[in-house]
Amino acid sequence: MSLAEIKSRISNAETKAGRALGSVDLIAVSKVQPNERVEAVLSEGQRIFGENRVQEAAGKWPDFRTQFDGIQLHIIGPLQTNKARQAMELAECIHSVDRPKLATTLARLAQEIGQCPDLFIQVNTGAEAQKAGILPQDADSFVAECRSLDLPVKGLMCIPPVEEEAALHFALLAKIAKRNDLSGLSMGMSGDFEKAIAFGATHVRVGSAIFGARDYS
Ligand SMILES: *Cc1c(COP(=O)(O)O)cnc(C)c1O
């Protein structure tokens, strides 16, 4: 599917949900994609991109930034504390703040560096053992803890379990965000971004629908 098609589907979903046009940011998830595909999407005007590995992001985005203005890079994958500094220096936004130790590390580094990317707290809405994220019942206290550390928390992020109806998870994330006065909702991927927009997503993370399937071979 083309970038233009995805953007028009987003506009339609915004309208259908009674939301303002442009209220949803499209994050083009470029992980594992060959540089030519990423460059093509940059040339079409897309400027917000997502990567889930710091190492991979560091290998390509500094170069792209020298070629294209106004790039915004979002780290959307699990973040080890020993990669936190690099992530903060590379990215405008981190979507995967998922544990107290990472929060205190980010806070310490933010003091040291003098700035901090926008942050989203990842919530493990399906309470899946293998998935990162704070459990729903711990989310309120974790938001409070991050705020007490002066971290710029903009919203919440989730990745619904593959086997379950995503709408339930989008609704739960929206509810937790609302009671914590958070306006950002990072939810929705290639298969369900329109549904996420109906539930209030402000950031959709779309990879394969824009770039084609990822080739891990
Ligand atoms: C890869 C990835 C996406 C994009 O997935 P697609 O199904 O290709 O759209 C979104 N969010 C996260 C956290 C990812 O790792």
Side-chain angles (χ1 to χ4, degrees):
M1 212 166 290
S2 70
L3 177 68
E5 270 176 276
I6 298 293
K7 292 207 302 208
S8 99
R9 283 173 59 185
I10 289 173
S11 303
N12 289 338
E14 287 169 337
T15 304
K16 222 171 129 190
R19 301 180 51 194
L21 283 175
S23 54
V24 178
D25 280 351
L26 170 62
I27 302 172
V29 179
S30 49
K31 65 182 184 207
V32 190
Q33 300 290 351
N35 283 352
E36 309 82 72
R37 284 196 199 161
V38 181
E39 257 169 49
V41 170
L42 276 160
S43 299
E44 286 179 80
Q46 176 67 22
R47 286 296 179 271
I48 312 179
F49 290 84
E51 290 283 347
N52 72 338
R53 290 169 162 276
V54 174
Q55 205 84 329
E56 186 182 346
K60 56 202 215 204
W61 286 98
D63 279 349
F64 285 139
R65 284 191 201 270
T66 65
Q67 299 169 57
F68 297 89
D69 286 331
I71 288 172
Q72 241 190 62
L73 184 63
H74 293 233
I75 296 291
I76 61 176
L79 184 57
Q80 292 169 263
T81 47
N82 64 4
K83 300 256 169 63
R85 176 189 290 274
Q86 199 181 8
M88 291 172 82
E89 287 167 351
L90 269 173
E92 278 76 15
C93 186
I94 297 172
H95 291 237
S96 44
V97 182
D98 61 357
R99 58 197 193 279
K101 185 169 178 235
L102 179 59
T104 50
T105 302
L106 291 169
R108 176 174 53 76
L109 291 168
Q111 289 295 321
E112 217 178 291
I113 302 168
Q115 60 181 37
C116 188
D118 288 343
L119 301 177
F120 283 72
I121 290 171
Q122 183 172 355
V123 181
N124 187 355
T125 56
E128 295 174 278
Q130 80 286 6
K131 203 165 269 175
I134 205 91
L135 290 171
Q137 63 267 31
D138 299 331
D140 295 357
S141 62
F142 188 57
V143 171
E145 182 178 351
C146 290
R147 283 180 166 150
S148 74
L149 290 167
D150 271 334
L151 289 173
V153 179
K154 304 297 178 185
L156 304 179
M157 179 272 230
C158 77
I159 309 170
V162 276
E163 301 296 327
E164 288 179 31
E165 173 50 56
L168 300 172
H169 296 272
F170 297 155
L172 173 60
L173 197 72
K175 190 172 112 185
I176 299 171
K178 184 154 189 251
R179 70 173 182 240
N180 283 284
D181 266 319
L182 288 167
S183 56
L185 281 173
S186 168
M187 57 191 197
M189 321 204 309
S190 289
D192 54 19
F193 65 88
E194 284 141 319
K195 192 180 283 179
I197 291 169
F199 282 89
T202 57
H203 295 69
V204 292
R205 310 179 308 268
V206 181
S208 44
I210 297 173
F211 294 100
R214 286 178 288 275
D215 181 0
Y216 288 97
S217 64

